[in-house]
Amino acid sequence: MHLHLQCSDIKILLVFAKEDAQSDGFWWAADKMGYKCFIAHNAEGALECYLDKHHDVVIIDHRNNKSFDPEALCRSMRATKSSDHTVIVAVTKRIAPEKDEPSVLSLLKAGFNKYVNPAYERLTGYSADEVIGKDATEMAKADRNKTDLHDTINNQLKKGKFWEGTYHTRRKSSDVGISTHCVFSPILGPGGKLSHIVSVQKTTPDTSYSDRIKEAEYNLANGGVAHGYPRRRESLAKIHSMTVEAPITKVINIINAAQENSPITVVQALDKVLEILRTSQLYSPHFVQPMKEGDTMTSDLVGGLVSQNVKRQLITSSQESSSVSHSKPVSGHHIHIPNNLLSQMQPEVLEILELEPSWDFNIINLEKATAKRPLVHLGLKAMARFGVCDFLRVDEMTVMNWLNLIEANYHSTNSYHNSTHAADVLHATAFFLTRERNQAVLDQMDQVACLIAAIIHDVDHPGYTNAFLINEKNPLALMYNDQAVLENHHAALGFQLSWKDNSVNIFKNLTRDEYTPLRETIIDMVLATEMKQHFEHLNKFVSCVNKSTLKLEETSSMSGTGSPDSMAIINQLSTPENRSLIKRMLIKCADVSNPCRTTEMCIEWAKRIAEEYFIQTDEEKRRNLPVVMPAFDRKTCSIPKSQTSFIDFFINDMFDAWDYFCDIPDLMAHLQENYRYWKEKSEDEAS
């Protein structure tokens, strides 16, 4: 929708419970055109503002709004006398082409404009019944409109572009056309075909009519509701509407909006700008041929100081074991199981592991059946399923010994950050790897790296947060300069333990060229679990992966070629930068997937993490350290409130983005169900 009305006194009211990319887009467009724009966050404030200002256009958010009833608000506005000159627009979710429009009738009954508003009827003399369903060009013809003008407009619309200029609208029972400033905007339906036309008209100064209309007039003259490109899933609405947006994301959104009204040369130039902005490493230069031939000094400097895998020596076991560590690795007690290890497990354990491919797999049952040693058993099953032994060229006993050693270095006394959590993250990681798009984009090295990263991502976690370790001046915090303290420790210790001796070294048979990228990927994924970088990783993923995918999907639809999972999209996603972002998002979602589990599992994990935070708060008070999370006081804490806050702030946007990318409807259903559960519990506590 384009608000290109040449009138500075147009007043627009935005009614959004919370400001997002959608509301920002409307505000930016209105500001660019010099319109007066107001925003309200609730029904009471919106109605009060409307009665005072009598806005020409009211845009109401109708996307699963829990804060107010959009239809009731529309009815209240329509009950006022001034609403005859007001266009009221509902912002709704896009509907898939194969689905009906269940909300249209209720919207019309509530008073939202679908086809023409009363001002259009008075301006032209045509009633809505006479206009709806008619050809727009037939209804608007006048002598002063030349045939070539219609051809120009039609050509623009068929290209998916809007047309703006002076147009002459026919008045009923008159051969004289009304001179208007008009914008024709195309609405593309399935297959990219022109479905409807939105015309925004304003009487120009030379018109002789005294009752010049001061509002925008929206006319869907071909019949039907103006929907844009149909989305694969409703969660795609979140791609352009995140709760917390980074500045670079807002810049990208502004450029996207600017492209709509720009000449083709500017559009192409801005496309190149967007391509640069969407790279995952904005400040890392790409060295193609930066050095003159023979300039070995510069080459060595660049290779040694910038590149991560140029002239790097393989780290041997002696080199790693001599590094400083303030956490004493545990030797572990090996579980002696002969070859064909999976078949030799206890029947009860095997029965539980049969459900491992399912998302509803119960890791707590495995914890009980294995006497708190679920990581070894689930690890063997998952790594066998993905062919890890074949990829690493090691036998199953080496993998089992490694899993046993890693699990022994998790603290079983932690209520949450123990080997059961690691096994749970491993299960989620394996599940995500089986999604169709991940299988198309990630190769076996990526899969193996993901599984190993999940297994070691919290090894030797002390049960306290980074902030606690920094505040107590823990040796780990001093070693890593207060930067991603635990995440750096987990990654480093995971490799130290692996190189301990040949009986546990799963990397021993890899060549340098195989080991180096695998190690880099594992470290990158483990470091991505630091919540301090949560919004940076999420915004990069949305901007570089999802929005690029969406653009290709829209292009395929408009051209009538390809499909949402065409090779063009897979090739776009398979760039090294995008694969890194996908793997980071994969382990991040796996790490905090508790709210997307069954309600029973969600409740159990919520209790466990709360208990761990309670212990930290108790320890901070006992030692007179700064209390990092005062809300987690065991005497006053509301676990339901903590869960709803966590879901609102961290989980919703991230899993909406992840759902769009790899299609996880079952998880999203669990998430909604669990949110309702915690919300009800929170309300019960409040009452």
Side-chain angles (χ1 to χ4, degrees):
M1 181 179 298
H2 301 278
L3 302 177
H4 287 256
L5 306 180
Q6 304 300 307
C7 184
S8 61
D9 60 351
I10 291 291
K11 295 187 291 293
I12 298 175
L13 174 62
L14 307 179
V15 187
F16 285 73
K18 61 180 181 181
E19 296 179 34
D20 57 15
Q22 191 73 58
S23 63
D24 288 347
F26 283 122
W27 184 282
W28 176 83
D31 182 67
K32 180 181 178 183
M33 300 308 299
Y35 305 147
K36 297 176 182 177
C37 195
F38 306 81
I39 190 163
H41 298 297
N42 55 60
E44 294 78 10
L47 191 56
E48 181 180 351
C49 187
Y50 178 71
L51 292 174
D52 179 46
K53 304 294 183 182
H54 304 297
H55 304 83
D56 303 287
V57 180
V58 179
I59 301 175
I60 302 176
D61 189 4
H62 197 279
R63 300 166 298 168
N64 284 338
N65 204 317
K66 301 176 182 178
S67 302
F68 59 85
D69 185 343
E71 294 175 22
L73 175 59
C74 181
R75 284 193 292 269
S76 298
M77 290 181 173
R78 284 297 179 208
T80 64
K81 186 176 180 180
S82 59
S83 68
D84 279 354
H85 296 278
T86 300
V87 175
I88 304 182
V89 181
V91 178
T92 64
K93 288 186 176 180
R94 292 177 177 177
I95 308 299
E98 67 276 6
K99 295 184 178 180
D100 295 329
E101 299 178 89
S103 62
V104 169
L105 290 178
S106 63
L107 291 175
L108 289 175
K109 291 177 180 178
F112 285 101
N113 291 90
K114 182 181 180 185
Y115 299 103
V116 301
N117 63 350
Y120 178 88
E121 295 178 300
R122 289 194 300 274
L123 180 70
T124 64
Y126 288 103
S127 67
D129 292 336
E130 293 175 291
V131 173
I132 294 171
K134 299 296 190 302
D135 188 333
T137 57
E138 289 298 322
M139 295 306 303
K141 276 183 180 177
D143 291 340
R144 293 167 66 187
N145 289 326
K146 304 300 182 183
T147 303
D148 57 350
L149 177 60
H150 290 146
D151 292 340
T152 300
I153 295 173
N154 287 331
N155 288 336
Q156 284 289 97
L157 296 175
K158 288 177 181 178
K159 293 177 182 177
K161 299 180 179 180
F162 73 91
W163 179 89
E164 179 178 6
T166 300
Y167 199 72
H168 307 286
T169 302
R170 172 192 289 177
R171 184 166 176 80
K172 187 177 180 181
S173 302
S174 174
D175 292 332
V176 180
I178 304 169
S179 180
T180 62
H181 179 89
C182 185
V183 176
F184 286 112
S185 299
I187 300 299
L188 303 180
K193 295 181 179 179
L194 182 63
S195 176
H196 311 94
I197 300 170
V198 179
S199 70
V200 184
Q201 303 175 24
K202 178 64 187 176
T203 52
T204 55
D206 63 353
T207 184
S208 59
Y209 292 96
S210 58
D211 56 338
R212 294 175 181 173
I213 308 303
K214 293 184 179 180
E215 68 271 27
E217 287 132 21
Y218 290 64
N219 171 27
L220 295 182
N222 283 349
V225 176
H227 289 296
Y229 173 72
R231 302 183 180 184
R232 273 197 311 150
R233 291 179 294 280
E234 289 186 355
S235 66
L236 180 54
K238 286 289 185 178
I239 287 185
H240 291 285
S241 176
M242 295 173 58
T243 302
V244 181
E245 277 197 313
I248 188 64
T249 306
K250 293 186 177 181
V251 169
I252 290 173
N253 287 338
I254 291 172
I255 293 175
N256 279 325
Q259 282 184 305
E260 296 181 3
N261 308 328
S262 302
I264 187 63
T265 53
V266 177
V267 170
Q268 292 173 345
L270 291 178
D271 275 337
K272 294 181 180 179
V273 172
L274 288 173
E275 185 179 347
I276 295 171
L277 291 178
R278 282 174 175 153
T279 181
S280 59
Q281 302 294 335
L282 282 175
Y283 297 99
S284 297
H286 292 176
F287 294 98
V288 181
Q289 289 182 330
M291 289 78 69
K292 296 179 180 179
E293 186 176 355
D295 189 357
T296 55
M297 175 61 74
T298 304
S299 178
D300 286 349
L301 283 174
V302 172
L305 299 178
V306 178
S307 178
Q308 289 293 326
N309 52 14
V310 176
K311 296 188 177 180
R312 288 286 189 246
Q313 293 184 352
L314 180 65
I315 301 177
T316 63
S317 57
S318 60
Q319 288 172 317
E320 285 260 352
S321 60
S322 65
S323 60
V324 180
S325 174
H326 292 278
S327 180
K328 191 176 292 184
V330 182
S331 61
H333 304 286
H334 288 192
I335 301 174
H336 297 289
I337 303 176
N339 290 332
N340 196 10
L341 302 175
L342 286 173
S343 63
Q344 299 299 318
M345 291 181 183
Q346 297 176 0
E348 180 185 3
V349 174
L350 287 173
E351 183 178 356
I352 295 172
L353 286 175
E354 286 181 3
L355 300 176
E356 180 258 341
S358 167
W359 178 254
D360 292 341
F361 173 75
N362 193 317
I363 194 65
I364 305 300
N365 289 343
L366 185 63
E367 177 191 65
K368 295 175 182 177
T370 59
K372 295 188 176 182
R373 305 287 287 180
L375 188 57
V376 172
H377 297 80
L378 182 67
L380 283 172
K381 176 70 182 298
M383 297 179 90
R385 183 150 69 101
F386 286 88
V388 174
C389 289
D390 291 338
F391 180 84
L392 297 175
R393 300 190 295 277
V394 293
D395 57 61
E396 199 174 18
M397 185 61 72
T398 300
V399 172
M400 190 200 70
N401 289 340
W402 178 79
L403 286 166
N404 184 62
L405 179 60
I406 295 296
E407 183 158 40
N409 280 274
Y410 276 91
H411 299 191
S412 60
T413 54
N414 289 347
S415 62
Y416 183 87
H417 287 102
N418 49 40
S419 67
T420 304
H421 167 66
D424 187 58
V425 175
L426 172 62
H427 171 261
T429 298
F431 179 85
F432 291 149
L433 288 174
T434 62
R435 309 312 292 170
E436 182 179 356
R437 184 163 279 176
N438 281 323
Q439 287 186 323
V441 173
L442 303 179
D443 59 22
Q444 190 175 17
M445 190 279 283
D446 293 321
Q447 294 176 345
V448 172
C450 288
L451 296 174
I452 295 175
I455 291 168
I456 71 170
H457 86 281
D458 271 337
V459 65
D460 195 39
H461 196 294
Y464 300 113
T465 64
N466 279 335
F468 179 93
L469 299 182
I470 293 170
N471 288 335
E472 72 160 356
K473 299 177 178 60
N474 187 279
L476 287 175
L478 298 177
M479 176 186 293
Y480 294 113
N481 300 313
D482 298 346
Q483 302 299 311
V485 176
L486 285 171
E487 292 74 24
N488 273 303
H489 175 58
H490 302 322
L493 183 61
F495 281 97
Q496 289 171 16
L497 293 172
S498 301
W499 286 97
K500 189 175 181 64
D501 60 62
N502 272 346
S503 67
V504 299
N505 189 358
I506 60 175
F507 307 114
K508 60 187 176 184
N509 293 326
L510 297 179
T511 65
R512 182 180 307 174
D513 290 340
E514 293 170 331
Y515 173 75
T516 301
L518 181 66
R519 170 175 161 82
E520 288 176 354
T521 300
I522 294 169
I523 293 172
D524 184 71
M525 291 184 69
V526 174
L527 293 181
T529 61
E530 184 196 16
M531 291 305 290
K532 182 179 179 182
Q533 304 297 323
H534 171 80
F535 294 107
E536 179 179 348
H537 292 314
L538 175 56
N539 277 292
K540 283 182 178 179
F541 179 81
V542 170
S543 296
C544 302
V545 177
N546 279 358
K547 288 188 178 179
S548 296
T549 303
L550 174 60
K551 184 175 181 180
L552 287 173
E553 287 177 340
E554 290 179 334
T555 302
S556 297
S557 176
M558 292 176 65
S559 64
T561 61
S563 64
D565 287 323
S566 65
M567 285 306 300
I569 293 176
I570 298 304
N571 290 337
Q572 172 70 24
L573 296 175
S574 299
T575 63
E577 295 84 0
N578 283 341
R579 280 170 45 220
S580 293
L581 294 175
I582 292 167
K583 285 178 285 188
R584 290 174 192 170
M585 188 57 53
L586 186 150
I587 197 169
K588 279 179 60 60
C589 288
D591 190 26
V592 293
S593 62
N594 305 153
C596 298
R597 295 288 185 179
T598 62
T599 301
E600 176 189 5
M601 294 288 294
C602 178
I603 294 171
E604 177 64 23
W605 286 121
K607 291 178 179 177
R608 292 189 177 200
I609 190 64
E611 177 59 29
E612 198 163 284
Y613 289 158
F614 292 159
I615 292 173
Q616 174 170 311
T617 300
D618 292 342
E619 184 68 7
E620 287 166 336
K621 291 180 178 180
R622 186 184 70 81
R623 296 170 56 183
N624 198 30
L625 293 171
V627 178
V628 175
M629 295 179 289
F632 283 94
D633 187 313
R634 66 175 68 252
K635 296 179 182 179
T636 59
C637 180
S638 166
I639 293 180
K641 177 61 177 174
S642 71
Q643 286 295 303
T644 57
S645 298
F646 183 66
I647 292 172
D648 281 333
F649 200 68
F650 291 105
I651 299 300
N652 277 334
D653 283 345
M654 182 167 71
F655 274 90
D656 272 312
W658 189 236
D659 174 47
Y660 170 67
F661 173 75
C662 65
D663 194 11
I664 47 172
D666 292 344
L667 279 71
M668 303 307 291
H670 284 320
L671 178 58
Q672 294 175 5
E673 181 182 350
N674 291 333
Y675 186 82
R676 285 194 295 268
Y677 172 83
W678 292 120
K679 197 72 172 177
E680 290 173 2
K681 289 294 182 182
S682 180
E683 291 170 354
D684 290 344
E685 286 183 352
S687 61

PDB file of all heavy atoms in Angstrom, residues 567-582:
ATOM      1  N   MET A 567      16.590 -24.726  -6.329  1.00  0.00           N
ATOM      2  CA  MET A 567      18.043 -24.740  -6.225  1.00  0.00           C
ATOM      3  C   MET A 567      18.608 -23.351  -5.990  1.00  0.00           C
ATOM      4  O   MET A 567      19.638 -23.194  -5.341  1.00  0.00           O
ATOM      5  CB  MET A 567      18.645 -25.347  -7.495  1.00  0.00           C
ATOM      6  CG  MET A 567      18.515 -26.857  -7.586  1.00  0.00           C
ATOM      7  SD  MET A 567      19.186 -27.696  -6.130  1.00  0.00           S
ATOM      8  CE  MET A 567      20.891 -27.150  -6.166  1.00  0.00           C
ATOM      9  N   ALA A 568      17.927 -22.328  -6.503  1.00  0.00           N
ATOM     10  CA  ALA A 568      18.422 -20.962  -6.288  1.00  0.00           C
ATOM     11  C   ALA A 568      18.454 -20.637  -4.801  1.00  0.00           C
ATOM     12  O   ALA A 568      19.397 -20.015  -4.302  1.00  0.00           O
ATOM     13  CB  ALA A 568      17.538 -19.966  -7.032  1.00  0.00           C
ATOM     14  N   ILE A 569      17.418 -21.053  -4.087  1.00  0.00           N
ATOM     15  CA  ILE A 569      17.364 -20.789  -2.645  1.00  0.00           C
ATOM     16  C   ILE A 569      18.418 -21.606  -1.914  1.00  0.00           C
ATOM     17  O   ILE A 569      19.128 -21.103  -1.028  1.00  0.00           O
ATOM     18  CB  ILE A 569      15.957 -21.096  -2.102  1.00  0.00           C
ATOM     19  CG1 ILE A 569      14.946 -20.095  -2.672  1.00  0.00           C
ATOM     20  CG2 ILE A 569      15.933 -21.070  -0.582  1.00  0.00           C
ATOM     21  CD1 ILE A 569      13.515 -20.357  -2.278  1.00  0.00           C
ATOM     22  N   ILE A 570      18.547 -22.886  -2.275  1.00  0.00           N
ATOM     23  CA  ILE A 570      19.542 -23.744  -1.624  1.00  0.00           C
ATOM     24  C   ILE A 570      20.951 -23.201  -1.866  1.00  0.00           C
ATOM     25  O   ILE A 570      21.782 -23.168  -0.954  1.00  0.00           O
ATOM     26  CB  ILE A 570      19.426 -25.192  -2.137  1.00  0.00           C
ATOM     27  CG1 ILE A 570      18.048 -25.777  -1.792  1.00  0.00           C
ATOM     28  CG2 ILE A 570      20.519 -26.061  -1.531  1.00  0.00           C
ATOM     29  CD1 ILE A 570      17.696 -25.738  -0.329  1.00  0.00           C
ATOM     30  N   ASN A 571      21.217 -22.755  -3.086  1.00  0.00           N
ATOM     31  CA  ASN A 571      22.540 -22.184  -3.383  1.00  0.00           C
ATOM     32  C   ASN A 571      22.797 -20.927  -2.563  1.00  0.00           C
ATOM     33  O   ASN A 571      23.912 -20.693  -2.078  1.00  0.00           O
ATOM     34  CB  ASN A 571      22.653 -21.866  -4.875  1.00  0.00           C
ATOM     35  CG  ASN A 571      22.719 -23.120  -5.726  1.00  0.00           C
ATOM     36  OD1 ASN A 571      23.092 -24.193  -5.237  1.00  0.00           O
ATOM     37  ND2 ASN A 571      22.345 -23.005  -6.997  1.00  0.00           N
ATOM     38  N   GLN A 572      21.761 -20.105  -2.402  1.00  0.00           N
ATOM     39  CA  GLN A 572      21.895 -18.890  -1.603  1.00  0.00           C
ATOM     40  C   GLN A 572      22.195 -19.234  -0.143  1.00  0.00           C
ATOM     41  O   GLN A 572      23.043 -18.619   0.503  1.00  0.00           O
ATOM     42  CB  GLN A 572      20.599 -18.077  -1.696  1.00  0.00           C
ATOM     43  CG  GLN A 572      20.530 -16.878  -0.758  1.00  0.00           C
ATOM     44  CD  GLN A 572      21.474 -15.763  -1.153  1.00  0.00           C
ATOM     45  OE1 GLN A 572      21.845 -15.665  -2.316  1.00  0.00           O
ATOM     46  NE2 GLN A 572      21.863 -14.939  -0.202  1.00  0.00           N
ATOM     47  N   LEU A 573      21.505 -20.246   0.375  1.00  0.00           N
ATOM     48  CA  LEU A 573      21.691 -20.628   1.771  1.00  0.00           C
ATOM     49  C   LEU A 573      23.003 -21.360   2.008  1.00  0.00           C
ATOM     50  O   LEU A 573      23.484 -21.411   3.141  1.00  0.00           O
ATOM     51  CB  LEU A 573      20.531 -21.528   2.222  1.00  0.00           C
ATOM     52  CG  LEU A 573      19.139 -20.888   2.235  1.00  0.00           C
ATOM     53  CD1 LEU A 573      18.084 -21.924   2.572  1.00  0.00           C
ATOM     54  CD2 LEU A 573      19.082 -19.736   3.237  1.00  0.00           C
ATOM     55  N   SER A 574      23.587 -21.919   0.962  1.00  0.00           N
ATOM     56  CA  SER A 574      24.770 -22.765   1.113  1.00  0.00           C
ATOM     57  C   SER A 574      26.082 -21.996   1.097  1.00  0.00           C
ATOM     58  O   SER A 574      27.143 -22.621   1.134  1.00  0.00           O
ATOM     59  CB  SER A 574      24.789 -23.833   0.008  1.00  0.00           C
ATOM     60  OG  SER A 574      23.647 -24.662   0.101  1.00  0.00           O
ATOM     61  N   THR A 575      26.038 -20.679   1.047  1.00  0.00           N
ATOM     62  CA  THR A 575      27.283 -19.916   1.136  1.00  0.00           C
ATOM     63  C   THR A 575      27.907 -20.134   2.511  1.00  0.00           C
ATOM     64  O   THR A 575      27.189 -20.407   3.488  1.00  0.00           O
ATOM     65  CB  THR A 575      27.029 -18.418   0.932  1.00  0.00           C
ATOM     66  OG1 THR A 575      26.190 -17.929   1.995  1.00  0.00           O
ATOM     67  CG2 THR A 575      26.347 -18.156  -0.405  1.00  0.00           C
ATOM     68  N   PRO A 576      29.225 -20.049   2.640  1.00  0.00           N
ATOM     69  CA  PRO A 576      29.866 -20.268   3.948  1.00  0.00           C
ATOM     70  C   PRO A 576      29.300 -19.367   5.039  1.00  0.00           C
ATOM     71  O   PRO A 576      29.103 -19.810   6.186  1.00  0.00           O
ATOM     72  CB  PRO A 576      31.340 -19.952   3.670  1.00  0.00           C
ATOM     73  CG  PRO A 576      31.513 -20.221   2.206  1.00  0.00           C
ATOM     74  CD  PRO A 576      30.223 -19.827   1.564  1.00  0.00           C
ATOM     75  N   GLU A 577      29.024 -18.101   4.703  1.00  0.00           N
ATOM     76  CA  GLU A 577      28.491 -17.173   5.702  1.00  0.00           C
ATOM     77  C   GLU A 577      27.123 -17.617   6.196  1.00  0.00           C
ATOM     78  O   GLU A 577      26.859 -17.645   7.407  1.00  0.00           O
ATOM     79  CB  GLU A 577      28.395 -15.755   5.125  1.00  0.00           C
ATOM     80  CG  GLU A 577      29.724 -15.112   4.774  1.00  0.00           C
ATOM     81  CD  GLU A 577      30.213 -15.516   3.392  1.00  0.00           C
ATOM     82  OE1 GLU A 577      29.502 -16.306   2.710  1.00  0.00           O
ATOM     83  OE2 GLU A 577      31.308 -15.057   3.007  1.00  0.00           O
ATOM     84  N   ASN A 578      26.245 -17.982   5.269  1.00  0.00           N
ATOM     85  CA  ASN A 578      24.897 -18.382   5.666  1.00  0.00           C
ATOM     86  C   ASN A 578      24.889 -19.709   6.409  1.00  0.00           C
ATOM     87  O   ASN A 578      24.117 -19.898   7.348  1.00  0.00           O
ATOM     88  CB  ASN A 578      23.982 -18.458   4.443  1.00  0.00           C
ATOM     89  CG  ASN A 578      23.546 -17.090   3.973  1.00  0.00           C
ATOM     90  OD1 ASN A 578      23.610 -16.110   4.710  1.00  0.00           O
ATOM     91  ND2 ASN A 578      23.113 -16.996   2.727  1.00  0.00           N
ATOM     92  N   ARG A 579      25.746 -20.642   6.011  1.00  0.00           N
ATOM     93  CA  ARG A 579      25.811 -21.918   6.732  1.00  0.00           C
ATOM     94  C   ARG A 579      26.276 -21.700   8.169  1.00  0.00           C
ATOM     95  O   ARG A 579      25.799 -22.360   9.089  1.00  0.00           O
ATOM     96  CB  ARG A 579      26.720 -22.893   5.998  1.00  0.00           C
ATOM     97  CG  ARG A 579      26.010 -23.561   4.823  1.00  0.00           C
ATOM     98  CD  ARG A 579      26.923 -24.347   3.912  1.00  0.00           C
ATOM     99  NE  ARG A 579      27.862 -25.186   4.585  1.00  0.00           N
ATOM    100  CZ  ARG A 579      29.140 -25.356   4.204  1.00  0.00           C
ATOM    101  NH1 ARG A 579      29.595 -24.694   3.156  1.00  0.00           N
ATOM    102  NH2 ARG A 579      29.937 -26.151   4.862  1.00  0.00           N
ATOM    103  N   SER A 580      27.200 -20.778   8.371  1.00  0.00           N
ATOM    104  CA  SER A 580      27.636 -20.465   9.741  1.00  0.00           C
ATOM    105  C   SER A 580      26.479 -19.918  10.566  1.00  0.00           C
ATOM    106  O   SER A 580      26.283 -20.305  11.725  1.00  0.00           O
ATOM    107  CB  SER A 580      28.784 -19.459   9.724  1.00  0.00           C
ATOM    108  OG  SER A 580      29.944 -20.018   9.158  1.00  0.00           O
ATOM    109  N   LEU A 581      25.697 -19.008   9.974  1.00  0.00           N
ATOM    110  CA  LEU A 581      24.555 -18.436  10.686  1.00  0.00           C
ATOM    111  C   LEU A 581      23.506 -19.498  10.995  1.00  0.00           C
ATOM    112  O   LEU A 581      22.891 -19.489  12.068  1.00  0.00           O
ATOM    113  CB  LEU A 581      23.933 -17.313   9.856  1.00  0.00           C
ATOM    114  CG  LEU A 581      24.798 -16.069   9.647  1.00  0.00           C
ATOM    115  CD1 LEU A 581      24.107 -15.096   8.698  1.00  0.00           C
ATOM    116  CD2 LEU A 581      25.100 -15.387  10.969  1.00  0.00           C
ATOM    117  N   ILE A 582      23.291 -20.409  10.057  1.00  0.00           N
ATOM    118  CA  ILE A 582      22.309 -21.480  10.272  1.00  0.00           C
ATOM    119  C   ILE A 582      22.753 -22.392  11.410  1.00  0.00           C
ATOM    120  O   ILE A 582      21.950 -22.759  12.277  1.00  0.00           O
ATOM    121  CB  ILE A 582      22.116 -22.287   8.972  1.00  0.00           C
ATOM    122  CG1 ILE A 582      21.420 -21.422   7.916  1.00  0.00           C
ATOM    123  CG2 ILE A 582      21.319 -23.561   9.223  1.00  0.00           C
ATOM    124  CD1 ILE A 582      21.472 -21.999   6.519  1.00  0.00           C
TER     125      ILE A 582
END
